Amino acid sequence: MTQPATSHQRLAAYHGKRDFSSSPEPRGAARQRRPNRHKPLRFCVQKHLSRHLHFDFRLEHQGVLLSWAIPKGPSLDPADKRLAMRVEDHPLDYGHFEGVIPEGYGAGVVMLWDEGTWQCQMPDIAAALEQGELKFSLEGVKLKGSWVLVRTARDPRSWLLIKHRDEWSASLNIIQAAPDSVKSFGDMADILALEDPAQWQSRLAGHGGAAGQALRELIQQAAEKIAARNKPGRPRRSATKH
């Protein structure tokens, strides 16, 4: 019987694509959590603006985060079948990451758009993934209720994320209605403003199209936020509680 891969083995692709001397992304510990039916599994969704804007959907399983890149982001409308491309597993620590990847693979701005817990609605997660249909429920800040991931026939990496019809389904565009971070409560420009936007002018020279334009606009917005923050005479927050 084939032994399941350890989390260290499953993170080989993740480690191979990154230079941690320049990337602030978590390296991730090589650990295999023992199954605990009483401890809820975590999920997160990260809004990632790099060469293309997309949303990274991640489910905790066997010591790693199973990951899918969703170009249009999740939808609460059961009529929407959102393409979700399976990508490399990520470390559990990545579920809390938010910040700026300065260069290399995935360079851009990452926002923690949603987080919470998930529960599989099928007897065996591994078997469901192998069969290409994973039914589950989410209990997040923005995403809740019953969902399904279905693998398409053409490409083993290609899945569809679909919301089941329940009390949490809606025609509301959740991407537009709730665009900000659940961690820092700011927008993408606020996250970039924690860095030096001037350094990004040269790094983003090769970014074209809509994503490149969006990044250039973010740089300008971040620079304006920093200028306003450093404006002489601007009241400073007092550390003393009243």
Side-chain angles (χ1 to χ4, degrees):
M1 182 176 178
T2 303
Q3 293 295 320
T6 65
S7 60
H8 179 78
Q9 292 169 327
R10 296 176 65 179
L11 292 176
Y14 170 85
H15 290 144
K17 291 181 177 180
R18 290 162 175 83
D19 178 2
F20 294 102
S21 65
S22 61
S23 175
E25 297 169 287
R27 180 182 295 274
R31 61 182 183 272
Q32 188 78 19
R33 274 181 47 173
R34 293 181 178 179
N36 185 345
R37 294 184 179 181
H38 302 290
K39 188 179 178 77
L41 297 172
R42 304 292 298 173
F43 91 92
C44 75
V45 182
Q46 283 154 319
K47 186 176 181 180
H48 187 181
L49 179 59
S50 55
R51 292 189 178 275
H52 302 281
L53 175 64
H54 62 278
F55 290 74
D56 292 309
F57 183 72
R58 311 192 196 280
L59 300 174
E60 179 185 352
H61 176 56
Q62 294 183 341
V64 298
L65 292 173
L66 307 176
S67 299
W68 290 262
I70 307 175
K72 293 185 178 181
S75 172
L76 303 183
D77 189 343
D80 291 336
K81 297 177 174 60
R82 291 295 169 86
L83 176 65
M85 296 299 294
R86 184 78 184 270
V87 296
E88 72 274 10
D89 294 340
H90 281 52
L92 294 179
D93 295 346
Y94 210 99
H96 304 288
F97 176 69
E98 178 174 278
V100 179
I101 303 173
E103 57 189 346
Y105 181 77
V109 186
V110 178
M111 170 194 288
L112 186 58
W113 183 80
D114 197 16
E115 65 176 347
T117 60
W118 79 284
Q119 185 174 4
C120 185
Q121 297 174 338
M122 307 175 77
D124 188 316
I125 296 174
L129 290 167
E130 181 66 25
Q131 294 168 8
E133 184 178 28
L134 179 65
K135 297 177 181 178
F136 56 93
S137 60
L138 299 177
E139 184 58 45
V141 178
K142 302 173 184 179
L143 304 182
K144 300 177 184 291
S146 181
W147 300 72
V148 64
L149 275 163
V150 182
R151 188 170 57 225
T152 66
R154 295 183 178 180
D155 185 342
R157 299 176 305 151
S158 177
W159 297 64
L160 298 174
L161 177 65
I162 307 168
K163 179 76 183 75
H164 284 152
R165 196 170 300 280
D166 59 16
E167 61 181 317
W168 299 107
S169 59
S171 58
L172 173 73
N173 186 329
I174 190 64
I175 301 300
Q176 295 180 358
D180 293 340
S181 167
V182 296
K183 181 176 182 178
S184 60
F185 308 109
D187 58 20
M188 299 289 267
D190 289 315
I191 297 171
L192 184 57
L194 297 175
E195 304 289 329
D196 179 5
Q199 295 182 4
W200 277 81
Q201 295 292 351
S202 60
R203 288 174 175 161
L204 299 181
H207 286 63
Q213 179 61 32
L215 281 166
R216 284 186 284 275
E217 291 175 0
L218 275 185
I219 291 172
Q220 180 62 34
Q221 293 168 15
E224 291 172 358
K225 287 177 182 287
I226 291 175
R229 189 169 64 209
N230 297 332
K231 187 176 180 179
R234 181 178 182 272
R236 295 183 177 273
R237 294 182 179 179
S238 174
T240 305
K241 293 184 179 180
H242 298 283

